[in-house]
Amino acid sequence: MKLNTIVWKELWLRKSQLVSALLAITLGIAVIVGIQSVSIVSEKAIKVKLDNLGANIMVLPQAASVDDYYSADIDAPTFPEEYVERLATSTLPGVDNLSPKLTRRIKINDVPVILTGILPANELAAKPIWQSAGLVGEGLNAACDPNNNANIDYGYKDDKLQRKAVDSLAANEILLGSDAARRLNLKESDSLFIEGQSFMVARVLPETGTIDDSRIFAHLHTVQGLLGIKGQVSTIEVMGCCSAISDGLLGKMRNILPDTRITTINQIVSTQIETNNLMSKISMIFLVIIVLVGAITIGNFMWANVEERRREIGILITIGAKKLSIYYLFLIKSIMLGFVGGVTGYILGTISAMVLGPQLAGLTITPVPIYLVFSILVSVVIALLGSILPVQHAARLDPAMIMQEI
Amino acid sequence: MFTVEDLSKVYSSRRGAVRALDKVSLVIENGSFVSITGNSGSGKSTLLLTLGGLIRPTEGKVEFCGKGIFDSSSVDLAEYRNRKVGFVLQTFNLVPYLSAIENVMLPTLFYPNDNGSQRKTAETLLNRVGLTGREEHLPRELSVGQQQRVAIARALANNPEVILADEPTGNLDPALSIEILEILKQLNVNESKTVIMVTHSPEAARYGTQRLHLENGRIV
Ligand SMILES: Nc1ncnc2c1ncn2[C@@H]1O[C@H](COP(=O)(O)OP(=O)(O)OP(=O)(O)O)[C@@H](O)[C@H]1O
Ligand SMILES: [Mg+2]
């Protein structure tokens, strides 16, 4: 038997008290872990998205929120699909890859997914008006001067920004994001029903780490039919030349489509980054509050625990326990409390982020193992801080009390 | 073994001062069985706990084997309590969430011991007080008399020279009292442990080979 045996047995004896003692720490750590888990993924997703992007300009309805770039198109109000043609026929220089989308959240067999209607490239290219405008394929290179500094930085040449175009998509075919495929338990050439209509999975898309993983892509006109909003889209993604954008492309587009909101990805992404920074700051403030509240709760609990164990402490001193041993018993206990608080807080925070992340931020959250270490550290420090006074109280108890009956 | 000279203890608190011991002097020989009687409040417990190094006297000297126990630092006092004396109190001697054998092993936790024999020694001690088979029971699963036996076994854990007992039979019926007193007597006779026992009962006091009576903090 070791001194630790005493700590364990006592903890076990009063295990129900632990729950309430740890509530503040656990919840606090959970909130921080949750926020941080979301924002780390969100930051990473911004980078991934920028790398995978096919478009750098978004046309959104006037009322759309652009707080979050990834979900700006989801459940947004709509505007007529005919705007695509207005843009195309305007023959603005430096505009390519007009890509209209209509997006809604739906449920398939109770699994929430994001249904996005897109137009496959062959249909875009097939539009005679676009061919005549020379805006398909080679048209881009023609419109973007490769020697212009603004264009060099953007790297059109290494294809990074080239849309991974969907060449063809039949009316009853869908493309599945990897996450959606996993959750719906579907693979290529499986069939499924969406809103009562039968579809076939043409392809499962590779994982991107963005909300696109939760999307189901179907033909725009099919989706319009399914949702009962014919001829409407929620966004048009546009690839604009950087040199053209700096020459005021956005303003010219706004002249053509006055009742829309036209922004560059950069603007949206910087809003997103600001939001992330704000969240980080909030979680720092939260951290301070948790340290205080957690330490006070633990302090309270430990003080009550010492009072409850006066007799026991008296016995231990009587049979020769040094002050140091008394310190040890209570400090080990508070370290264990802190440890448990850190672990449960981490688990709770991670699970909440994983459950809420896809719903609130449209992000797939994965656990961040290093946060477990931080959670335990913070929680143990909180528990130790709170225990200073109670433990001193314990070590200073007058052993003569054992002659009084309690 | 013990030489006590002019020992006084004054408890002072905001509500006033109480003189619990008043210039007590006495000598306790190695191997004696001392019984201390006296009215409630006469200072019996105070004297016993002072001998055991738990209460610091206001004045006077307590020598154990020629050394003043309160001359040294408090760490040494803890070691003195751990190795030289064993305490048995009237009630609530045991840590409630530890089994009988764990309670007996408690004193061996605080100083380096040859831990291999820790459990074996505890088993032997429980056997000696007649509790074989009850090692894993919690205090609340034992009768009051059995709890007192566990307390005695624990007092012996570090093989001390002195047993200090504060009304060890105070909560027991006469038959059980005799059992406990007999165990103490055996320890005194067979293993020449010095036993110092505070008691209210005249019958118990008769076990003492040296009998002290306290009145108002003085030996009479
Ligand atoms: N911590 C304390 N503070 C103040 N007075 C105390 C304290 N402990 C004991 N006393 C007083 O000292 C006196 C002696 O107490 P002590 O406990 O030694 O008596 P006792 O002979 O053991 O009595 P009993 O037979 O009731 O156990 C009593 O008057 C008691 O009230
Ligand atoms: Mg007493």
Side-chain angles (χ1 to χ4, degrees), chain A residues 185-362:
Chain A
N185 201 14
L186 288 170
K187 47 186 197 310
E188 263 159 50
S189 25
D190 282 353
S191 54
L192 77 159
F193 282 90
I194 304 174
E195 308 281 316
Q197 199 170 315
S198 162
F199 288 87
M200 206 260 290
V201 179
R203 198 143 57 89
V204 174
L205 302 170
E207 188 158 343
T208 63
T210 67
I211 196 173
D212 287 354
D213 292 345
S214 317
R215 289 193 201 245
I216 294 182
F217 295 97
H219 196 287
L220 177 65
H221 298 144
T222 311
V223 172
Q224 286 170 341
L226 277 183
L227 299 174
I229 27 185
K230 284 244 189 282
Q232 295 279 311
V233 296
S234 40
T235 179
I236 305 172
E237 288 181 4
V238 180
M239 174 102 96
C241 268
C242 288
S243 57
I245 292 174
S246 41
D247 285 348
L249 177 61
L250 259 52
K252 292 172 200 161
M253 288 171 73
R254 282 188 194 113
N255 287 339
I256 299 167
L257 305 173
D259 57 343
T260 57
R261 182 163 191 173
I262 300 174
T263 77
T264 61
I265 300 299
N266 278 350
Q267 282 167 350
I268 298 178
V269 166
S270 63
T271 320
Q272 178 73 35
I273 289 170
E274 265 165 39
T275 314
N276 277 345
N277 289 345
L278 184 70
M279 290 298 264
S280 286
K281 269 182 208 145
I282 290 174
S283 67
M284 280 304 115
I285 294 169
F286 214 84
L287 185 66
V288 174
I289 297 173
I290 286 157
V291 170
L292 287 176
V293 174
I296 291 169
T297 327
I298 289 284
N300 237 323
F301 169 73
M302 289 296 278
W303 190 280
N305 189 242
V306 168
E307 282 298 312
E308 194 172 11
R309 297 168 72 187
R310 282 174 78 99
R311 180 81 195 177
E312 185 190 322
I313 296 164
I315 293 169
L316 293 180
I317 295 176
T318 304
I319 62 177
K322 289 164 289 187
K323 276 203 160 87
L324 220 65
S325 308
I326 305 293
Y327 275 119
Y328 179 87
L329 285 179
F330 284 93
L331 286 179
I332 291 292
K333 171 163 178 163
S334 77
I335 288 174
M336 285 180 179
L337 280 181
F339 186 87
V340 174
V343 172
T344 50
Y346 169 79
I347 293 173
L348 192 67
T350 303
I351 291 177
S352 318
M354 289 170 76
V355 171
L356 296 177
Q359 291 173 20
L360 298 183

Side-chain angles (χ1 to χ4, degrees), chain A residues 403-404, chain B residues 11 18 20 38-47 167 200:
Chain A
M403 67 179 171
Q404 280 124 27
Chain B
Y11 292 106
V18 178
N39 289 335
S40 184
S42 56
K44 307 181 296 293
S45 297
T46 305
L47 177 59
E167 306 197 34
H200 263 116

Side-chain angles (χ1 to χ4, degrees), chain A residues 1 9 311-312 317 319, chain B residues 81-82 91 97 102 118:
Chain A
M1 178 160 109
K9 294 225 167 181
R311 180 81 195 177
E312 185 190 322
I317 295 176
I319 62 177
Chain B
R81 288 197 288 270
N82 188 253
T91 45
Y97 50 85
E102 284 166 337
Q118 191 192 32

Side-chain angles (χ1 to χ4, degrees), chain A residues 105-132:
Chain A
R105 272 174 229 264
I106 58 162
K107 280 196 174 160
I108 299 177
N109 303 331
D110 283 331
V111 178
V113 290
I114 298 159
L115 178 64
T116 298
I118 53 170
L119 276 185
N122 62 351
E123 283 179 39
L124 285 172
K127 292 199 176 187
I129 190 143
W130 288 29
Q131 282 174 343
S132 68

